[in-house]
Amino acid sequence: QVQLVESGGGLAQPGGSLRLSCAASRSIASILVMGWYRQAPGNQREFVATITSGGTTDYTNAVKGRFTISRDNSKNTLYLQMNNLQPEDTAVYYCNKWPSLWNWGQGAQVTVSS
């Protein structure tokens, strides 16, 4: 059973930055697409960004130009650099592969507030 451990969340002010990491308990080198998702209070989990094994990225419109997804297959780790954070980015952030999913990790809480 693959374990996903997200870290790097916290409190940021509007306009601030955070970098999330997601460590997988197995190699992700063979995983074609890895992604970040988020779930805000009262909302369903939603797609944030994906990255293919070749480095092609895709983002939901709400974060384009502000967030950057990357992966380090040698460390079995996925990253999400979040810049110019806004209050509407407040959510628990999760990583997983796409489209079929492993079990979800505990997520990383990101709170954007002044």
Side-chain angles (χ1 to χ4, degrees), residues 2-111:
V2 177
Q3 290 188 322
L4 300 167
V5 179
E6 297 91 349
S7 62
L11 175 64
Q13 293 188 337
S17 298
L18 287 172
R19 188 193 193 206
L20 303 183
S21 298
C22 169
S25 62
R26 56 147 284 178
S27 172
I28 64 171
S30 63
I31 304 302
L32 180 59
V33 183
M34 292 291 298
W36 284 97
Y37 306 79
R38 67 185 180 186
Q39 186 168 18
N43 290 356
Q44 291 187 337
R45 196 168 301 177
E46 64 177 3
F47 152 79
V48 175
T50 56
I51 184 168
T52 70
S53 55
T56 300
T57 59
D58 189 23
Y59 300 90
T60 189
N61 286 339
V63 308
K64 280 182 180 177
R66 300 188 298 121
F67 289 12
T68 303
I69 187 172
S70 60
R71 62 194 285 174
D72 186 338
N73 291 336
S74 68
K75 296 181 179 179
N76 302 331
T77 302
L78 188 70
Y79 302 99
L80 186 67
Q81 177 67 44
M82 305 184 293
N83 297 329
N84 191 20
L85 283 162
Q86 301 300 316
E88 53 265 34
D89 297 318
T90 295
V92 180
Y93 285 71
Y94 303 86
C95 68
N96 216 314
K97 65 184 182 74
W98 183 92
S100 58
L101 303 172
W102 289 318
N103 287 343
W104 295 99
Q106 85 288 348
Q109 176 68 52
V110 172
T111 302

